[in-house]
Amino acid sequence: MYILKCIAQIGGLLGIALLGNKITQVFDLHFPGSILGILFIFLLLEAKIISLEWVETGANLLIAELILFFIPSAVGVVQYKQLIITNGASFGFVIFLSTVTVMISTGLLAEFLNKVGKGR
Amino acid sequence: MLAGFSFIITILSYVGAKILYRKKQSVFLSPLVICPFILISLLLSFHVSLETYSAGTQWITNMLQPAIVAFAVPLYKYRALLKKYALEIALGVLGGSTIAIVSSVMYGKLFHLTPQLLDSLAPRSITTPIAMNISQTIGGLPAMTASFVIVTGIAGIVAGPFILKWLPIHHQVSKGMLLGMGAHGAGTAQAYEIGSIEGAIASLTMIVAGIITIMVAPILVPYLH
């Protein structure tokens, strides 16, 4: 029963994602259809056209296994073997430094905004 | 045959890594680190082409799209929380996204990377499908961007816990924003390990960062060259 429910709900979410893709394609919008899909589901829930139980089980499963869906793309780096052999260390340094910079500044900025926000 | 095998091995390595990771919470056992390592080693040692592997695993990658749509559910469930912190999230993510783009390109220049690689690096702090899209728009290599996004995820889940431990960042919202902004989906998964509020904030941050980067990157990146 749980499996059938998951398959049906994931199928529905996939359908919405594909619909989003179709719309961005037809109207030549420069962003992924899945972002439009988030908006659709959110509005359908907000308008109570669909209830949370209709999508929640499948959605939770997809989010819990999110990392799985990135793995084949990560394996794709193998095609840039040469580029990675020559520049790999630089990529690693740049990405690590930049990620740490982003995390520290975002974290401190958020903490500051939250303190200021408390005064509202 | 080999394509079907690629699919099965990918799923098995993921399930195995996940079980190991649950027992021993070391980042090197995180499926995002260990699975590509194992799979690339297998492809190289058995001389399987990337085309064959990709054909077999196309559906795994395709599931990223409904998975992104699925984020509507936590956004809806925590809408009151999100409304409460809307201003903090909007300003924090605008700042974070700008710093992500500028620091990626600037550090890249410091290491003398080519303009095409700088463009591929610029959108690396957001979720893969959006990042690849932006990379294409601004003249980068989308597949290279995908790998930069993955490395960002790995760097983020390695560095995140230390930053949270050492810096005076205590608010649940700040923790979620730090992880969602710094390490997109991987950071969001880690934020959910801390708590459901951190996770919900991280997922919203990831989505907002994607939308802001779509708008900011094409304007900002040409000035950075």
Side-chain angles (χ1 to χ4, degrees):
Chain A
M1 194 51 219
Y2 171 77
I3 292 174
L4 281 179
K5 201 167 156 186
C6 281
I7 293 173
Q9 295 188 354
I10 291 171
L13 291 168
L14 180 64
I16 294 283
L18 295 177
L19 179 68
N21 284 345
K22 197 79 209 162
I23 292 173
T24 53
Q25 209 179 6
V26 169
F27 292 96
D28 198 26
L29 304 172
H30 291 281
F31 60 91
S34 44
I35 293 291
L36 219 53
I38 295 175
L39 197 69
F40 283 156
I41 298 280
F42 190 90
L43 291 177
L44 288 173
L45 286 166
E46 189 82 340
K48 309 233 181 294
I49 295 168
I50 60 171
S51 76
L52 204 51
E53 291 85 71
W54 291 14
V55 285
E56 197 177 10
T57 315
N60 285 343
L61 180 71
L62 286 176
I63 293 172
E65 310 305 339
L66 190 64
I67 285 178
L68 169 65
F69 312 131
F70 288 110
I71 291 173
S73 312
V75 173
V77 301
V78 79
Q79 66 185 302
Y80 291 110
K81 216 162 58 184
Q82 205 48 51
L83 203 57
I84 290 164
I85 289 168
T86 41
N87 289 311
S90 309
F91 294 157
F93 278 122
V94 170
I95 293 170
F96 190 80
L97 284 175
S98 176
T99 302
V100 169
T101 308
V102 170
M103 285 186 145
I104 292 176
S105 47
T106 307
L108 293 176
L109 178 61
E111 194 74 3
F112 169 76
L113 290 169
N114 279 316
K115 281 202 182 109
V116 174
K118 271 192 191 129
R120 276 188 298 176
Chain B
M1 168 57 193
L2 266 176
F5 211 59
S6 303
F7 177 84
I8 293 166
I9 296 283
T10 303
I11 302 282
L12 284 180
S13 73
Y14 174 74
V15 173
K18 220 180 157 179
I19 293 169
L20 268 175
Y21 182 68
R22 210 171 285 155
K23 281 194 179 149
K24 207 169 178 296
Q25 300 252 326
S26 154
V27 280
F28 299 105
L29 290 177
S30 162
L32 191 55
V33 179
I34 198 169
C35 294
F37 179 77
I38 293 171
L39 293 163
I40 289 174
S41 310
L42 286 173
L43 291 188
L44 294 177
S45 36
F46 292 97
H47 304 287
V48 178
S49 73
L50 183 64
E51 286 71 32
T52 309
Y53 176 79
S54 299
T57 52
Q58 191 58 54
W59 269 100
I60 300 178
T61 306
N62 287 347
M63 290 314 280
L64 196 54
Q65 298 194 35
I68 297 290
V69 176
F71 277 102
V73 169
L75 293 185
Y76 176 75
K77 271 169 84 177
Y78 290 97
R79 63 195 182 286
L81 184 78
L82 304 174
K83 221 180 206 166
K84 191 174 164 196
Y85 293 107
L87 190 66
E88 285 89 336
I89 294 171
L91 290 176
V93 175
L94 180 63
S97 304
T98 309
I99 292 165
I101 297 165
V102 174
S103 69
S104 301
V105 177
M106 288 306 171
Y107 290 142
K109 273 177 123 170
L110 224 58
F111 283 84
H112 307 292
L113 297 178
T114 64
Q116 195 176 37
L117 287 172
L118 296 178
D119 289 339
S120 312
L121 273 167
R124 54 143 205 97
S125 200
I126 56 173
T127 190
T128 314
I130 311 179
M132 289 176 78
N133 212 298
I134 296 173
S135 178
Q136 182 100 55
T137 312
I138 61 178
L141 300 166
M144 211 58 215
T145 298
S147 63
F148 292 155
V149 172
I150 305 285
V151 177
T152 298
I154 296 168
I157 56 177
V158 172
F162 291 102
I163 296 173
L164 286 176
K165 207 161 91 185
W166 292 334
L167 287 184
I169 293 164
H170 307 296
H171 203 287
Q172 288 171 310
V173 174
S174 311
K175 289 181 184 176
M177 283 174 66
L178 181 153
L179 291 169
M181 186 65 240
H184 52 88
T188 300
Q190 201 174 46
Y192 272 111
E193 286 171 19
I194 304 176
S196 55
I197 291 178
E198 286 85 346
I201 295 286
S203 53
L204 182 78
T205 299
M206 179 181 89
I207 294 157
V208 175
I211 296 166
I212 289 181
T213 307
I214 288 173
M215 297 186 288
V216 172
I219 303 167
L220 200 56
V221 173
Y223 286 102
L224 297 173
H225 278 304

PDB file of all heavy atoms in Angstrom, chain A residues 70-83:
ATOM      1  N   PHE A  70      21.639  13.047  -7.609  1.00  0.00           N
ATOM      2  CA  PHE A  70      22.818  13.799  -8.048  1.00  0.00           C
ATOM      3  C   PHE A  70      23.957  12.887  -8.477  1.00  0.00           C
ATOM      4  O   PHE A  70      24.895  13.329  -9.139  1.00  0.00           O
ATOM      5  CB  PHE A  70      23.355  14.671  -6.896  1.00  0.00           C
ATOM      6  CG  PHE A  70      22.510  15.847  -6.574  1.00  0.00           C
ATOM      7  CD1 PHE A  70      21.787  15.917  -5.399  1.00  0.00           C
ATOM      8  CD2 PHE A  70      22.453  16.926  -7.450  1.00  0.00           C
ATOM      9  CE1 PHE A  70      21.009  17.020  -5.097  1.00  0.00           C
ATOM     10  CE2 PHE A  70      21.685  18.029  -7.149  1.00  0.00           C
ATOM     11  CZ  PHE A  70      20.957  18.078  -5.978  1.00  0.00           C
ATOM     12  N   ILE A  71      23.927  11.624  -8.037  1.00  0.00           N
ATOM     13  CA  ILE A  71      25.085  10.744  -8.217  1.00  0.00           C
ATOM     14  C   ILE A  71      25.473  10.543  -9.693  1.00  0.00           C
ATOM     15  O   ILE A  71      26.641  10.742 -10.031  1.00  0.00           O
ATOM     16  CB  ILE A  71      24.890   9.422  -7.440  1.00  0.00           C
ATOM     17  CG1 ILE A  71      24.964   9.730  -5.933  1.00  0.00           C
ATOM     18  CG2 ILE A  71      25.951   8.386  -7.813  1.00  0.00           C
ATOM     19  CD1 ILE A  71      24.623   8.578  -5.024  1.00  0.00           C
ATOM     20  N   PRO A  72      24.504  10.231 -10.601  1.00  0.00           N
ATOM     21  CA  PRO A  72      24.933  10.073 -12.002  1.00  0.00           C
ATOM     22  C   PRO A  72      25.570  11.343 -12.580  1.00  0.00           C
ATOM     23  O   PRO A  72      26.544  11.244 -13.335  1.00  0.00           O
ATOM     24  CB  PRO A  72      23.632   9.722 -12.731  1.00  0.00           C
ATOM     25  CG  PRO A  72      22.774   9.113 -11.685  1.00  0.00           C
ATOM     26  CD  PRO A  72      23.084   9.871 -10.426  1.00  0.00           C
ATOM     27  N   SER A  73      25.087  12.537 -12.208  1.00  0.00           N
ATOM     28  CA  SER A  73      25.708  13.779 -12.690  1.00  0.00           C
ATOM     29  C   SER A  73      27.128  13.895 -12.149  1.00  0.00           C
ATOM     30  O   SER A  73      28.023  14.365 -12.852  1.00  0.00           O
ATOM     31  CB  SER A  73      24.919  15.011 -12.253  1.00  0.00           C
ATOM     32  OG  SER A  73      23.559  14.848 -12.516  1.00  0.00           O
ATOM     33  N   ALA A  74      27.331  13.473 -10.899  1.00  0.00           N
ATOM     34  CA  ALA A  74      28.667  13.538 -10.309  1.00  0.00           C
ATOM     35  C   ALA A  74      29.622  12.604 -11.058  1.00  0.00           C
ATOM     36  O   ALA A  74      30.779  12.940 -11.289  1.00  0.00           O
ATOM     37  CB  ALA A  74      28.609  13.172  -8.832  1.00  0.00           C
ATOM     38  N   VAL A  75      29.106  11.436 -11.465  1.00  0.00           N
ATOM     39  CA  VAL A  75      29.934  10.493 -12.226  1.00  0.00           C
ATOM     40  C   VAL A  75      30.324  11.112 -13.583  1.00  0.00           C
ATOM     41  O   VAL A  75      31.385  10.829 -14.124  1.00  0.00           O
ATOM     42  CB  VAL A  75      29.185   9.151 -12.414  1.00  0.00           C
ATOM     43  CG1 VAL A  75      29.933   8.211 -13.340  1.00  0.00           C
ATOM     44  CG2 VAL A  75      28.964   8.482 -11.056  1.00  0.00           C
ATOM     45  N   GLY A  76      29.487  12.018 -14.083  1.00  0.00           N
ATOM     46  CA  GLY A  76      29.734  12.691 -15.366  1.00  0.00           C
ATOM     47  C   GLY A  76      31.046  13.457 -15.451  1.00  0.00           C
ATOM     48  O   GLY A  76      31.524  13.734 -16.549  1.00  0.00           O
ATOM     49  N   VAL A  77      31.664  13.772 -14.316  1.00  0.00           N
ATOM     50  CA  VAL A  77      32.946  14.501 -14.361  1.00  0.00           C
ATOM     51  C   VAL A  77      34.024  13.695 -15.075  1.00  0.00           C
ATOM     52  O   VAL A  77      35.012  14.260 -15.527  1.00  0.00           O
ATOM     53  CB  VAL A  77      33.500  14.898 -12.966  1.00  0.00           C
ATOM     54  CG1 VAL A  77      32.541  15.774 -12.226  1.00  0.00           C
ATOM     55  CG2 VAL A  77      33.911  13.689 -12.159  1.00  0.00           C
ATOM     56  N   VAL A  78      33.796  12.390 -15.179  1.00  0.00           N
ATOM     57  CA  VAL A  78      34.800  11.523 -15.797  1.00  0.00           C
ATOM     58  C   VAL A  78      35.103  11.984 -17.237  1.00  0.00           C
ATOM     59  O   VAL A  78      36.221  11.821 -17.724  1.00  0.00           O
ATOM     60  CB  VAL A  78      34.338  10.034 -15.703  1.00  0.00           C
ATOM     61  CG1 VAL A  78      33.316   9.696 -16.748  1.00  0.00           C
ATOM     62  CG2 VAL A  78      35.523   9.089 -15.768  1.00  0.00           C
ATOM     63  N   GLN A  79      34.132  12.656 -17.896  1.00  0.00           N
ATOM     64  CA  GLN A  79      34.351  13.134 -19.275  1.00  0.00           C
ATOM     65  C   GLN A  79      35.334  14.309 -19.325  1.00  0.00           C
ATOM     66  O   GLN A  79      35.851  14.640 -20.379  1.00  0.00           O
ATOM     67  CB  GLN A  79      33.022  13.527 -19.932  1.00  0.00           C
ATOM     68  CG  GLN A  79      32.363  14.736 -19.290  1.00  0.00           C
ATOM     69  CD  GLN A  79      30.996  15.034 -19.855  1.00  0.00           C
ATOM     70  OE1 GLN A  79      30.848  15.244 -21.042  1.00  0.00           O
ATOM     71  NE2 GLN A  79      29.992  15.052 -18.989  1.00  0.00           N
ATOM     72  N   TYR A  80      35.572  14.970 -18.192  1.00  0.00           N
ATOM     73  CA  TYR A  80      36.508  16.095 -18.179  1.00  0.00           C
ATOM     74  C   TYR A  80      37.815  15.705 -17.494  1.00  0.00           C
ATOM     75  O   TYR A  80      38.435  16.526 -16.827  1.00  0.00           O
ATOM     76  CB  TYR A  80      35.876  17.293 -17.475  1.00  0.00           C
ATOM     77  CG  TYR A  80      34.747  17.885 -18.258  1.00  0.00           C
ATOM     78  CD1 TYR A  80      33.439  17.777 -17.828  1.00  0.00           C
ATOM     79  CD2 TYR A  80      34.998  18.540 -19.465  1.00  0.00           C
ATOM     80  CE1 TYR A  80      32.397  18.310 -18.571  1.00  0.00           C
ATOM     81  CE2 TYR A  80      33.970  19.074 -20.212  1.00  0.00           C
ATOM     82  CZ  TYR A  80      32.669  18.950 -19.757  1.00  0.00           C
ATOM     83  OH  TYR A  80      31.654  19.472 -20.496  1.00  0.00           O
ATOM     84  N   LYS A  81      38.187  14.446 -17.675  1.00  0.00           N
ATOM     85  CA  LYS A  81      39.379  13.909 -17.026  1.00  0.00           C
ATOM     86  C   LYS A  81      40.589  14.830 -17.220  1.00  0.00           C
ATOM     87  O   LYS A  81      41.267  15.190 -16.270  1.00  0.00           O
ATOM     88  CB  LYS A  81      39.672  12.512 -17.590  1.00  0.00           C
ATOM     89  CG  LYS A  81      40.210  11.562 -16.565  1.00  0.00           C
ATOM     90  CD  LYS A  81      40.083  10.101 -16.974  1.00  0.00           C
ATOM     91  CE  LYS A  81      40.770   9.749 -18.278  1.00  0.00           C
ATOM     92  NZ  LYS A  81      40.557   8.373 -18.711  1.00  0.00           N
ATOM     93  N   GLN A  82      40.823  15.243 -18.488  1.00  0.00           N
ATOM     94  CA  GLN A  82      42.014  16.036 -18.791  1.00  0.00           C
ATOM     95  C   GLN A  82      41.976  17.391 -18.086  1.00  0.00           C
ATOM     96  O   GLN A  82      42.935  17.825 -17.478  1.00  0.00           O
ATOM     97  CB  GLN A  82      42.156  16.203 -20.313  1.00  0.00           C
ATOM     98  CG  GLN A  82      43.579  16.464 -20.764  1.00  0.00           C
ATOM     99  CD  GLN A  82      44.579  15.490 -20.130  1.00  0.00           C
ATOM    100  OE1 GLN A  82      44.402  14.272 -20.161  1.00  0.00           O
ATOM    101  NE2 GLN A  82      45.621  16.037 -19.493  1.00  0.00           N
ATOM    102  N   LEU A  83      40.799  18.044 -18.196  1.00  0.00           N
ATOM    103  CA  LEU A  83      40.598  19.353 -17.561  1.00  0.00           C
ATOM    104  C   LEU A  83      40.798  19.243 -16.047  1.00  0.00           C
ATOM    105  O   LEU A  83      41.349  20.149 -15.411  1.00  0.00           O
ATOM    106  CB  LEU A  83      39.171  19.815 -17.877  1.00  0.00           C
ATOM    107  CG  LEU A  83      38.858  21.295 -17.822  1.00  0.00           C
ATOM    108  CD1 LEU A  83      39.764  22.076 -18.750  1.00  0.00           C
ATOM    109  CD2 LEU A  83      37.396  21.528 -18.223  1.00  0.00           C
TER     110      LEU A  83
END
